[in-house]
Amino acid sequence: LTFDKSFTVSVTDVYENTAPTDIILSSSTVQENSSSGTVVGNLSATDPEGNANSFSLISGTGSNLFEINASNQLVVKSGATLDYETLSQPTVTIRTTDSGGLSFNKTLTISVTDVKEVEPLPTDFDAQSYLDNNPDLKAVFGNDLEAAKKHYSDYGQSEGRIYLSVKLALPTDFD
């Protein structure tokens, strides 16, 4: 004996959370010597379900230089010193966690840009002698001593220009 019957089966889609798939930093460049709180860039995450995501900095060569603020921005950490000559490409590993507790990590490289360091003038710097010993500068600056100081700081020192007037005390009696 056999029996046939038609019936309808309903399938209900069950929500399945999937982990975020990417972390985006809107900008990854910051000047050396930037003050604490300086924004490097805004963090956002790609999440298949569009869940809200939180961010945390978990490691990297720059983990002591940066932090994430309440606005999900990567910022210069309080007390940190960004120095191009010491570390020009620090890395940070960021973790994003969605509202379902799933996470994704990504290591980002931050570019620290070099800023020309202004070195103090030598204590024996004489702006008038600098102009007198460099006629090309005297032709441009005249006797503008402030312009002479700025030129030496910006260019003259690296060019090896003379900035002192050497006065020799020669004997006048040759007996």
Side-chain angles (χ1 to χ4, degrees), residues 110-170:
I110 309 303
S111 294
V112 177
T113 58
D114 195 16
V115 174
K116 184 178 185 327
E117 320 279 336
V118 178
E119 294 186 29
L121 292 172
T123 55
D124 59 352
F125 182 80
D126 179 349
Q128 188 61 56
S129 292
Y130 182 61
L131 291 172
D132 293 343
N133 286 310
N134 296 281
D136 58 324
L137 300 179
K138 187 154 185 141
V140 174
F141 300 127
N143 286 319
D144 185 342
L145 302 183
E146 289 306 310
K149 290 176 186 176
K150 180 164 178 27
H151 183 275
Y152 183 79
S153 290
D154 292 348
Y155 309 104
Q157 189 169 20
S158 63
E159 293 172 358
R161 290 191 181 242
I162 298 170
Y163 64 85
L164 287 175
S165 180
V166 178
K167 297 178 182 165
L168 299 175
L170 297 175

Side-chain angles (χ1 to χ4, degrees), residues 76-127:
V76 176
K77 193 174 193 174
S78 178
T81 301
L82 300 180
D83 182 29
Y84 174 85
E85 289 75 19
T86 302
L87 186 61
S88 63
Q89 299 279 305
T91 60
V92 290
T93 300
I94 307 292
R95 172 174 291 151
T96 184
T97 305
D98 70 12
S99 57
L102 298 178
S103 62
F104 173 81
N105 299 343
K106 186 174 184 180
T107 300
L108 305 167
T109 300
I110 309 303
S111 294
V112 177
T113 58
D114 195 16
V115 174
K116 184 178 185 327
E117 320 279 336
V118 178
E119 294 186 29
L121 292 172
T123 55
D124 59 352
F125 182 80
D126 179 349

Side-chain angles (χ1 to χ4, degrees), residues 34-38 62-67 75-82:
S34 290
S35 59
S36 64
T38 298
S63 61
N64 62 329
L65 302 173
F66 303 100
E67 61 189 358
V75 298
V76 176
K77 193 174 193 174
S78 178
T81 301
L82 300 180

